[in-house]
Amino acid sequence: MITFLVCLIILVGGYLIYGKFVERTFQPDNRPTPATTMADGSDYVKMHPAKIFLIQLLNIAGLGPIFGAILGAYWGPVVFLWITFGTIFAGAVHDYLSGMISIRHKGSSISEIVGLYLGPVMKNIMRVFSVVLLVLVGVVFATGPANLLAMLTPNSLNAAFWLTVIIGYYFLATLVPIDKIIGRVYPIFGICLVIMCIGVAGGIIVKGYHIPELTLSNLHPDGQSICPFMFITVACGAISGFHATQSPLMARCMEKETDGRKIFYGAMVAEGVIALVWAAAGVAFYETTGGLQEAVVRLGGQGGVVYEICNTLLGPVGAVIAMVGVIACPISSGDTAFRSARLTIADWFKIGQKPITKRLALTIPLLAVGALLTQVDVTIVWRYFSWSNQTLAMIALWAAGAYLVKNKTAPWIAVVPATFMSAVSLTYILMAPEGFKLGASVAYPAGIIFAIGCLAAFLLLIYKKTEKADGKELAAE
């Protein structure tokens, strides 16, 4: 219990202290934002900061910090450390910088930002990477809620029925102006999410469940190594490249840059709290990591675990409220994932999105592909989503570091987590069952060498660009 509470306090303190430091490093000012200078009534629409915060939280939360945290609890309370410090020093920094840099570049998608700071090759890689990731997110966050809704409704309303309903909703939410559905419904979903999180945390504490204290031992029932597997499994609750695709959506709606810390850094810290609560629930409710693993298998996945925990802790009424929060989160992330995919392609091919016909031309094929992928085993999709998610985060952080160097401020706030995630991403794909299945003796050194190589390449690239810029300034003088 003490470890859990200390980590909770550190998360809040991280927002107040390190979040303020990151804000001072970036130096937001009072310049006009894209919501003002590029208003189009569809994607560039001014909204209230509190509403934007709730939308950002729901966009990034999804099933990730819940399902990922439950699986992360297989390693025991050591997962609390990754959620806490990953959120403060990596995830929240990643979200803040990707959102704020987007504001400075007319609300551009993350792929276009990467191209500006890491070159055209990386831009094209990120364009493809982003669209693939976003479609995978939409698929995962349609299938999961459909299964959960099927648990709460009569047998005639099965998962296939709810999947059709959700895809239909995604079509509308992806197509219509952002303030018409997303801007109006998400605050309500946000209240459900908060109630769910408080209810589960309160139920664990009040009913006397034992949240184990920190041990650095590996408690995974199958002995799977903490590095890199835990760092990839708990993605959205610590750092997630998916968030870099979502922050530009809100960058197009913000009236003031100075709201950035509350919206971007703050939403990620709130997600870290959600992940911490569900990780604690996982290790406490089933008493042992082996018991948790057995429950995931017995109940047909993390969705069944979520339902059992909510129903036991909160009773039937509380369980419904909690489940609505869990269902609303992924649906809200799924629709904005497809929306982000549409805008990424629009930025890529310079297709204006004000006319509805042009929005339809991109929305229909994207959702058709997503609907086909829902027929694939979602656990396989999730594995590739997790790795591609963290790889995208790595690239976004390197681009943010380049931006900070160009603007002559401290790049290390992005470069340090970028280097770490470079090592994690390569090590994982070398070791993972869906990767190359290599041993740790090969994967660990390769990951370290890759991270050092990325850092060296970054420093060389930045050095050359800085030297070139200084030369132009001297020539001008």
Side-chain angles (χ1 to χ4, degrees):
M1 176 73 76
I2 294 174
T3 303
F4 169 74
L5 294 176
V6 168
C7 286
L8 194 60
I9 292 169
I10 292 173
L11 274 171
V12 175
Y15 169 77
L16 297 173
I17 299 170
Y18 195 68
K20 190 67 177 177
F21 172 77
V22 171
E23 181 181 51
R24 285 199 303 269
T25 300
F26 186 85
Q27 300 173 357
D29 55 35
N30 294 318
R31 72 185 68 190
T33 62
T36 300
T37 60
M38 301 175 65
D40 65 358
S42 175
D43 299 302
Y44 292 86
V45 180
K46 286 191 289 187
M47 288 192 283
H48 191 277
K51 186 176 286 189
I52 296 174
F53 168 84
L54 284 172
I55 295 172
Q56 174 73 1
L57 175 60
L58 287 166
N59 284 352
I60 66 176
L63 288 174
I66 300 171
F67 279 21
I70 288 172
L71 293 183
Y74 282 6
W75 283 273
V78 69
V79 72
F80 297 165
L81 296 183
W82 171 231
I83 292 170
T84 301
F85 295 106
T87 293
I88 294 169
F89 296 108
V93 174
H94 167 276
D95 292 11
Y96 178 79
L97 292 177
S98 59
M100 296 303 290
I101 295 171
S102 178
I103 291 176
R104 294 279 172 92
H105 291 286
K106 301 179 181 180
S108 293
S109 303
I110 187 61
S111 55
E112 306 308 304
I113 291 169
V114 167
L116 286 171
Y117 292 100
L118 298 183
V121 173
M122 287 305 302
K123 175 165 66 175
N124 288 324
I125 291 173
M126 278 293 286
R127 281 169 169 171
V128 175
F129 220 89
S130 296
V131 173
V132 171
L133 174 67
L134 288 165
V135 172
L136 290 179
V137 169
V139 170
V140 171
F141 289 170
T143 307
N147 292 331
L148 292 174
L149 282 166
M151 294 181 185
L152 299 173
T153 54
N155 292 336
S156 57
L157 304 180
N158 58 18
F161 168 82
W162 285 114
L163 187 60
T164 303
V165 172
I166 291 169
I167 293 293
Y169 165 75
Y170 283 179
F171 175 78
L172 289 176
T174 302
L175 187 67
V176 303
I178 196 166
D179 59 332
K180 300 306 181 185
I181 294 179
I182 292 173
R184 293 178 181 177
V185 176
Y186 279 27
I188 299 171
F189 286 169
I191 293 171
C192 293
L193 174 61
V194 171
I195 291 173
M196 177 270 294
C197 186
I198 294 173
V200 170
I204 288 290
I205 294 171
V206 171
K207 295 192 176 184
Y209 286 90
H210 173 66
I211 303 175
E213 302 301 340
L214 177 65
T215 172
L216 296 181
S217 302
N218 183 356
L219 301 181
H220 195 287
D222 299 330
Q224 196 172 66
S225 61
I226 292 173
C227 180
F229 292 101
M230 188 183 74
F231 298 131
I232 295 292
T233 300
V234 186
C236 295
I239 178 172
S240 168
F242 170 66
H243 299 183
T245 68
Q246 299 302 289
S247 292
L249 288 181
M250 296 299 96
R252 301 179 188 216
C253 300
M254 288 169 55
E255 193 170 1
K256 296 189 298 182
E257 281 194 356
T258 49
D259 290 329
R261 181 169 70 99
K262 291 179 287 187
I263 291 168
F264 298 124
Y265 201 100
M268 182 60 219
V269 169
E271 185 182 48
V273 171
I274 293 169
L276 194 65
V277 167
W278 277 101
V283 296
F285 190 84
Y286 296 103
E287 298 182 352
T288 66
T289 57
L292 173 60
Q293 185 185 55
E294 185 276 329
V296 170
V297 174
R298 172 173 54 86
L299 298 170
Q302 300 100 302
V305 168
V306 170
Y307 182 79
E308 183 171 72
I309 289 175
C310 290
N311 189 57
T312 303
L313 295 180
L314 306 175
V317 176
V320 171
I321 295 174
M323 290 299 288
V324 168
V326 175
I327 291 165
C329 283
I331 291 176
S332 65
S333 292
D335 64 29
T336 50
F338 282 112
R339 190 182 192 94
S340 295
R342 169 174 67 80
L343 292 171
T344 298
I345 295 172
D347 286 351
W348 185 348
F349 295 102
K350 305 293 187 292
I351 303 171
Q353 292 297 283
K354 188 172 183 178
I356 192 169
T357 53
K358 292 187 176 181
R359 280 180 264 153
L360 276 169
L362 298 181
T363 300
I364 291 173
L366 278 171
L367 284 169
V369 171
L372 287 174
L373 287 175
T374 59
Q375 305 309 305
V376 178
D377 184 351
V378 72
T379 58
I380 296 174
V381 175
W382 183 263
R383 288 177 188 171
Y384 288 102
F385 158 69
S386 297
W387 173 76
S388 58
N389 190 27
Q390 301 302 62
T391 302
L392 193 150
M394 169 196 81
I395 298 171
L397 282 168
W398 284 121
Y403 171 89
L404 295 173
V405 169
K406 183 177 180 180
N407 286 271
K408 299 180 179 179
T409 187
W412 62 265
I413 61 171
V415 169
V416 171
T419 304
F420 176 75
M421 292 310 302
S422 297
V424 167
S425 294
L426 186 72
T427 303
Y428 179 84
I429 202 62
L430 291 178
M431 295 179 68
E434 65 273 21
F436 295 95
K437 303 178 183 178
L438 299 178
S441 60
V442 175
Y444 285 163
I448 293 170
I449 292 169
F450 177 69
I452 294 172
C454 287
L455 178 60
F458 173 82
L459 294 174
L460 181 61
L461 174 67
I462 296 306
Y463 174 76
K464 285 184 175 180
K465 285 190 174 183
T466 304
E467 188 178 55
K468 187 176 180 181
D470 290 343
K472 287 182 178 179
E473 289 177 6
L474 287 172
E477 291 175 0

